Amino acid sequence: MPRNVKSLNGAGFSVSVLVSVGRHPLTARARRADHDARAVEMALSLNDASVQLIHAGDNDTASEEALRGYLGMGVSGVKRIEQASNADVVPALTNILRFAAPQLVLTGTRAETGEGSGLVPYLLAESLGWTVVSGLAEIESIEQGVATVLQALPRGKRRRLQVRLPAIATVDSSAPAARQSAFGPARRGELTDCAYASVIDELQTQWHIQPARKRPKRLKIVKSASARDRFKAAAAKADSGGGQLLSDVTPEQGAEAIFTLLKEEGVLR
Amino acid sequence: MDGKCSAQGWVYSALAEVCRRGPAAKATRDEVSTMLNTLLPILIFTALALAAIGAVRRMRLWRQGRPSPVNLLKGLAAMPRRYLVDLHHVVGRDKMISNTHVATAGGFVAAAVLMILVHGLGIANPLLGGLLLLASTSMFVGSLFVARRRLNPPARLSKGPWMRLPKSLMAFSLGVFLVTLPTVGLLPDGLLEGSGSWLLALVLAGVVAWGLGEMFFGMTWGGPMKHAFAGALHLAFHRRAERFSTKKGGGGRSTGLKALNLNDEAAPLGVEKPADFTWNQLLGFDACVQCGRCEAVCPAFAAGQPLNPKKLIQDMVVGMAGGSDAGYAGSPHPSQGIGGKPVGEHAGSPHGPIVALEGKTLVDADTLWSCTTCRACVEECPMMIEHVDAIVDMRRHLTLERGKTPNKGAEVLDNLIATDNPGGFDPGSRLNWAADLNLPLMADIKQVDVLLWLGDGAFDMRNQRTLRALIKVLRAAEVDFAVLGAEERDSGDVARRLGDEATFQSLAKRNIATLAQYRFLQIVTCDPHSFHVLGNEYGELGGHYEVRHHSTFIAELYDAGRLTFAPWKGGRVTYHDPCYLGRYNGEYEAPRNVLKALGIEVKEMERSGSRSRCCGGGGGAPITDIPGKQRIPDMRMNDIKESGAELVAVGCPQCAAMLEGVVDASAEVRDIAELAADALVERPAGDASGGSRRPAATTMTAEEVIV
Ligand code: SF4
Ligand code: SF4
């Protein structure tokens, strides 16, 4: 059940949602991306906020259909910046966001197509100099340029954060599900094209991309007489024990800790 | 009850009083006649004029609706036949009411015409007068029966103004009878020569005026007699002219939903407000006589879900005219728990929304989503009203414009869009269940006698058993068949009933394009929903096929001597008619013939054939899942129990799923294909009677059928 935020300061509040063209996991058909749709849902459930949808990417029929999926949720239009398929969309998005100057930018955690690295929000935050928050589950209130939000943590935990606006927040499957997309509004909604030259992602052009192979999951064999224990073992998620919570540390100390960890895990050698 | 007796009593006692005072004569017979002769034309023509004004106003209400192409003259010409044949075919299921109606309505129409001639225009011809006496007598006798039915009316009948109708009928017939007596000189001399004779004349005029008020004025100003006026025109201008029989016979079934024109961006997507219905749909709602036959057969109503088809139609009438439902005098929409949705809380207007965005207007959304589209109401309605069309029209708006398909609806529609099946399964896995069966694929052989349409039951483990059984039967009869395999998509049935016309048409068009690549004589399917959609609804989109239900096909194979069954050794068996096979497609016989061929004597349930009760699985009802007091499949299982059967034969994957879902069921659920497969006997070697594969000559016909 989406919670409406009552304490918005009138209609002046503007939210931009970055939406991408999704891809159905089984049939690979273009669709509204699940996380992005949840971001739109969250924006629409903010009372009186003016919601603007922005998309940067390819411009073909399949992607138009998919973008209309967002329009069907009751948004009147999507601003579409056409970009070549091998372009880096960050410059285009930075440009339009700087221009539109929304107080809050919402987007899905990662795209369902392309690189799907989930880095776009961070790169945008970096180039705009805004705060970035990941895994938003709920926006509780927005008052005097500060948003109180709930961030989703693994296993249903929630953390309340106060974020100074403007900010970029990402939304994943712990946010409320997107509302149904209706045919009528989807057909009527407008796609407005904005031009911005594609900046080709040179690095990406050198990559070789192939479909992921499903790997068998190694099962932990639990020798136990009790069915309950065996079930628990089979259903248990990998326990992220042995972590370390760092708070009130300097950036250098933080970086040091991360560096050590990456070395321990063998990521860096 | 009380009011009724006293009103009747009033007429009689007034007459008696007048007769008693008779002897104190002053006025002459002539004076009375003159008085009546002056009064009656005034009364008759005033009533006619008022009726005409009312008729124009009523027609204006209907014309608020959207255009609908009908041939007006042809319709009017066909109206008497539609009334006498088609309507009486429905009414005639209850002989008593049918005869009552013939006497009353026939008497009234004749009396009205003759009365205008005799008393209105003063053509005091004794022959006409005599006929008028006859007509009014017939009407009076009829109205006695109407009155008798109203003595202890069943719950399905509306009360309120309908309770006064028999009295009004009597007033009219009796009044007309009495004022006609002088015309034929059949009046005892003494009667009209008393001091009370002027009083008598006044009383008579009063009685006639009451009758005229109800019968003429009330007919067009919204009284109970409105049903005759609107009903006659509805018969003439019905939106589905093809559902009526013609002199050449045939016709009589028109069950496919009408397609929305999605290319016309100005056309509304479904019905948001009463004025979005077509004018003849509005006319149809106005024709409702509130007989409640639809209410009596509606499974959703019986289950206590918030839907009463009769109330829904009345809600539409309220909306069309504007106002609240406070005047409704029948059973309300039930709702969970006791009581029902109280009347008077809902109101609407011709250009206001039917379902409120927030709060209440005319109808609550869960009323529309309770319907299983079983068509029992349409089948029973003597006024030929199309409830299912109206319900789906309103659902279309909720889904296509508001995106408000309840419960699992949105998920199912998303799955249909993304994976072409409601469960969201990988479309490539549609044939996984048949991995060991080596089914021939259309893509490989291109041309075949029988295209076996699997339906979405291919993803359901219960239905896979039925499909395997059917394939065993087809192989035993050496039928030349093939399947589409992964190329098959959902037929679009559920999407359409949930109001998502866009997804339906998208699925339908792609299926039609796939089918167009291949040659086949006929499609056979074990899913009546696919059967209905492929056979009755794809035509409008350009796909014309010869479709057969597997029971029909098995019956044909058996008749052709291509199947041999071992005699039945099990217990008592009953058969459940699937709505989409029976009422939608008129196939009641073939499944019973197959059961007979299996040596089974069917123990019929009380509700069977065209009056079969829905299993609760149609129209997306299990998806929208509107709560009620009880579940529809439980009620159906109870019907099965009452028939004494230990096994129920079904012919639909939905019915099988719904009935098997009943907890503590008293009967086993088996598909006809399973029963047939179990009873198969290898035919003795050398018996080749029609058993071999059809020669190439047959496939030539395939080409003819396809082009
Ligand atoms: S809709 Fe038809 S069946 Fe139902 S009450 Fe009206 S006339 Fe009778
Ligand atoms: S179609 Fe069936 S469920 Fe729907 S209103 Fe008619 S009788 Fe009731």
Side-chain angles (χ1 to χ4, degrees):
Chain A
M1 195 55 217
R3 280 251 297 270
N4 285 349
V5 176
K6 294 276 149 25
S7 42
L8 278 180
N9 313 334
F13 193 78
S14 79
V15 186
S16 289
V17 188
L18 309 181
V19 294
S20 63
V21 174
R23 178 188 152 102
H24 191 270
L26 286 177
T27 54
R29 287 185 199 164
R31 60 163 190 177
R32 56 178 178 158
D34 179 54
H35 290 177
D36 291 350
R38 287 175 194 258
V40 175
E41 177 64 47
M42 192 173 277
L44 290 177
S45 63
L46 296 174
N47 274 351
D48 300 326
S50 82
V51 178
Q52 187 184 41
L53 266 48
I54 301 171
H55 166 77
D58 282 4
N59 205 353
D60 56 22
T61 3
S63 62
E64 170 161 349
E65 282 289 298
L67 292 179
R68 292 207 172 270
Y70 298 107
L71 293 173
M73 297 171 71
V75 199
S76 57
V78 173
K79 279 202 165 59
R80 179 168 61 172
I81 316 164
E82 185 174 353
Q83 296 277 290
S85 55
N86 55 356
D88 179 4
V89 294
V90 173
L93 289 175
T94 310
N95 177 56
I96 195 167
L97 285 177
R98 207 167 258 146
F99 182 73
Q103 278 113 311
L104 180 64
V105 175
L106 293 174
T107 187
T109 296
R110 70 180 61 202
E112 293 176 1
T113 55
E115 212 171 304
S117 63
L119 276 180
V120 170
Y122 295 93
L123 295 173
L124 280 176
E126 184 183 38
S127 63
L128 291 165
W130 294 359
T131 324
V132 64
V133 191
S134 68
L136 219 60
E138 190 182 328
I139 299 175
E140 290 190 319
S141 71
I142 295 171
E143 261 160 0
Q144 288 152 6
V146 176
T148 310
V149 301
L150 285 187
Q151 185 185 40
L153 299 176
R155 269 170 262 181
K157 281 192 200 131
R158 295 287 183 269
R159 173 158 63 188
R160 184 168 284 118
L161 297 174
Q162 304 232 309
V163 186
R164 196 162 344 97
L165 302 178
I168 297 181
T170 68
V171 168
D172 63 18
S173 44
S174 36
R179 67 191 64 184
Q180 191 176 352
S181 174
F183 176 79
R187 184 169 73 174
R188 280 192 301 274
E190 270 184 64
L191 298 170
T192 338
D193 286 310
C194 319
Y196 192 84
S198 303
V199 179
I200 304 301
D201 186 345
E202 294 296 344
L203 263 181
Q204 204 193 24
T205 50
Q206 294 158 22
W207 291 358
H208 172 68
I209 296 177
Q210 65 182 42
R213 230 175 333 121
K214 231 187 183 159
R215 302 237 168 111
K217 212 165 81 191
R218 194 180 292 277
L219 288 178
K220 230 203 275 165
I221 313 253
V222 176
K223 290 214 179 77
S224 164
S226 132
R228 185 170 173 273
D229 288 346
R230 286 197 301 273
F231 178 77
K232 263 175 73 185
K237 276 195 175 175
D239 216 15
S240 58
Q244 196 182 354
L245 187 62
L246 297 176
S247 51
D248 298 327
V249 292
T250 62
E252 286 74 24
Q253 286 168 324
E256 188 66 40
I258 294 172
F259 186 71
T260 324
L261 179 75
L262 291 178
K263 271 207 140 153
E264 273 171 22
E265 296 287 330
V267 179
L268 294 178
R269 265 173 257 193
Chain B
M1 287 287 294
D2 226 321
K4 178 179 140 135
C5 292
S6 65
Q8 257 165 279
W10 175 79
V11 176
Y12 300 132
S13 54
L15 286 171
E17 172 67 18
V18 170
C19 297
R20 209 158 34 77
R21 290 204 205 162
K26 252 193 219 131
T28 67
R29 183 175 170 164
D30 281 350
E31 279 174 55
V32 175
S33 297
T34 327
M35 196 165 161
L36 276 180
N37 287 346
T38 338
L39 266 181
L40 283 178
I42 297 179
L43 281 177
I44 291 174
F45 287 112
T46 316
L48 278 177
L50 285 174
I53 297 173
V56 171
R57 285 172 48 115
R58 211 71 210 172
M59 288 179 196
R60 296 253 282 288
L61 289 183
W62 305 331
R63 296 219 10 210
Q64 299 173 106
R66 288 189 302 122
S68 166
V70 254
N71 190 331
L72 298 184
L73 289 179
K74 230 171 135 184
L76 284 174
M79 191 237 284
R81 190 195 151 83
R82 291 179 182 176
Y83 170 75
L84 292 170
V85 178
D86 300 282
L87 188 142
H88 267 278
H89 176 72
V90 180
V91 183
R93 289 175 202 155
D94 186 340
K95 275 282 167 283
M96 168 75 186
I97 292 305
S98 159
N99 294 338
T100 305
H101 194 256
V102 169
T104 322
F108 165 66
V109 173
V113 173
L114 290 164
M115 180 184 70
I116 294 171
L117 295 177
V118 173
H119 298 296
L121 303 173
I123 310 173
N125 178 329
L127 175 68
L128 290 183
L131 287 174
L132 180 48
L133 287 181
L134 267 182
S136 50
T137 311
S138 151
M139 180 174 170
F140 184 74
V141 173
S143 56
L144 287 178
F145 281 94
V146 179
R148 202 182 77 172
R149 188 164 76 138
R150 288 275 159 189
L151 278 179
N152 198 359
R156 65 182 169 90
L157 289 179
S158 287
K159 316 292 178 311
W162 296 87
M163 292 309 277
R164 76 165 189 248
L165 185 60
K167 288 163 230 159
S168 308
L169 292 170
M170 285 182 198
F172 184 87
S173 47
L174 200 63
V176 171
F177 184 86
L178 291 176
V179 297
T180 311
L181 285 178
T183 324
V184 289
L186 264 181
L187 209 58
D189 263 355
L191 184 63
L192 283 179
E193 285 173 15
S195 67
S197 58
W198 59 272
L199 183 63
L200 173 64
L202 271 188
V203 168
L204 278 181
V207 173
V208 172
W210 172 10
L212 283 171
E214 183 77 270
M215 304 304 290
F216 285 15
F217 174 74
M219 183 177 286
T220 59
W221 288 80
M225 283 309 292
K226 182 186 68 175
H227 81 273
F229 168 55
L233 293 179
H234 181 229
L235 284 180
F237 308 142
H238 201 281
R239 190 157 166 251
R240 292 172 177 273
E242 62 282 2
R243 72 172 277 192
F244 299 99
S245 63
T246 57
K247 278 191 209 74
K248 291 175 224 120
R253 180 158 287 110
S254 164
T255 53
L257 292 172
K258 298 208 180 283
L260 270 186
N261 180 359
L262 296 176
N263 298 326
D264 178 3
E265 298 212 5
L269 297 169
V271 166
E272 176 189 16
K273 38 196 199 294
D276 287 339
F277 285 110
T278 64
W279 67 270
N280 44 7
Q281 280 180 297
L282 293 178
L283 165 60
F285 302 147
D286 228 8
C288 171
V289 332
Q290 303 200 29
C291 64
R293 283 162 162 248
C294 52
E295 167 186 322
V297 294
C298 177
F301 179 82
Q305 286 171 279
L307 164 65
N308 174 351
K310 169 171 109 174
K311 171 72 165 54
L312 182 72
I313 298 300
Q314 285 312 305
D315 289 341
M316 297 301 111
V317 175
V318 165
M320 164 174 75
S324 97
D325 64 351
Y328 173 71
S331 347
H333 292 302
S335 53
Q336 202 173 10
I338 22 171
K341 301 210 165 188
V343 293
E345 290 181 353
H346 290 77
S349 64
H351 297 284
I354 293 175
V355 177
L357 282 166
E358 262 163 41
K360 281 181 187 159
T361 48
L362 204 51
V363 172
D364 295 334
D366 53 4
T367 293
L368 302 176
W369 295 114
S370 295
C371 174
T372 68
T373 68
C374 72
R375 268 186 90 81
C377 49
V378 186
E379 187 78 23
E380 279 299 293
C381 178
M383 307 309 285
M384 312 274 164
I385 295 168
E386 297 279 349
H387 312 67
V388 176
D389 284 1
I391 289 172
V392 174
D393 279 340
M394 291 185 272
R395 286 184 177 185
R396 283 175 175 170
H397 174 77
L398 295 183
T399 294
L400 294 175
E401 281 294 350
R402 295 202 193 156
K404 287 246 182 305
T405 324
N407 288 326
K408 292 271 169 217
E411 188 185 320
V412 166
L413 294 176
D414 274 346
N415 286 340
L416 282 168
I417 292 169
T419 63
D420 302 335
N421 66 72
F425 300 106
D426 181 354
S429 67
R430 191 176 274 270
L431 229 43
N432 282 7
W433 59 277
D436 57 333
L437 290 180
N438 246 328
L439 293 184
L441 288 178
M442 284 310 289
D444 298 334
I445 57 179
K446 313 276 187 220
Q447 180 163 314
V448 77
D449 284 358
V450 170
L451 189 151
L452 181 63
W453 186 274
L454 300 172
D456 292 314
F459 294 106
D460 172 61
M461 280 163 68
R462 170 66 184 87
N463 190 239
Q464 287 163 7
R465 297 211 308 265
T466 305
L467 287 170
R468 296 182 79 93
L470 178 57
I471 282 158
K472 188 174 162 201
V473 174
L474 294 181
R475 291 207 156 135
E478 298 183 8
V479 176
D480 173 29
F481 75 95
V483 297
L484 286 172
E487 281 186 296
E488 186 183 307
R489 297 168 191 84
D490 175 86
S491 62
D493 167 67
V494 164
R496 190 168 230 198
R497 310 308 123 180
L498 288 179
D500 193 345
E501 182 72 3
T503 302
F504 164 74
Q505 290 192 12
S506 152
L507 288 165
K509 283 180 183 149
R510 284 178 290 146
N511 276 326
I512 291 171
T514 305
L515 290 170
Q517 299 167 18
Y518 304 121
R519 291 185 175 162
F520 48 88
L521 287 175
Q522 53 179 319
I523 299 176
V524 171
T525 178
C526 67
D527 173 16
H529 294 262
S530 303
F531 173 22
H532 167 66
V533 172
L534 288 164
N536 301 328
E537 298 191 342
Y538 276 18
E540 210 178 345
L541 302 169
H544 301 273
Y545 313 105
E546 177 79 32
V547 193
R548 275 185 176 62
H549 186 243
H550 67 311
S551 64
T552 318
F553 193 63
I554 295 176
E556 284 175 7
L557 290 175
Y558 178 78
D559 287 343
R562 290 165 74 176
L563 292 172
T564 319
F565 298 126
W568 175 249
K569 288 207 211 55
R572 275 164 307 194
V573 177
T574 189
Y575 169 66
H576 164 75
D577 288 271
C579 310
Y580 277 73
L581 183 62
R583 280 186 292 269
Y584 275 81
N585 286 291
E587 184 59 279
Y588 302 111
E589 288 311 312
R592 292 182 166 79
N593 289 343
V594 174
L595 293 174
K596 211 164 109 201
L598 291 169
I600 294 172
E601 192 195 322
V602 177
K603 292 252 173 259
E604 292 290 357
M605 282 180 266
E606 195 186 311
R607 293 181 184 225
S608 65
S610 67
R611 284 186 156 164
S612 165
R613 198 209 298 257
C614 179
C615 71
I623 297 163
T624 53
D625 199 20
I626 305 297
K629 279 205 295 284
Q630 49 183 336
R631 291 176 68 251
I632 297 175
D634 293 351
M635 297 191 305
R636 191 55 175 162
M637 193 47 95
N638 218 25
D639 292 351
I640 295 166
K641 190 174 179 185
E642 278 167 16
S643 79
E646 291 136 23
L647 186 147
V648 55
V650 294
C652 170
Q654 282 289 344
C655 299
M658 297 305 285
L659 293 175
E660 281 208 331
V662 174
V663 182
D664 282 341
S666 55
E668 195 189 344
V669 183
R670 303 295 303 278
D671 193 278
I672 286 193
E674 294 179 283
L675 295 175
D678 287 353
L680 275 181
V681 191
E682 291 264 324
R683 267 169 309 152
D687 173 14
S689 56
S692 59
R693 283 202 175 196
R694 301 221 193 127
T698 345
T699 1
M700 289 302 291
T701 3
E703 293 176 23
E704 289 158 29
V705 170
I706 301 316
V707 265

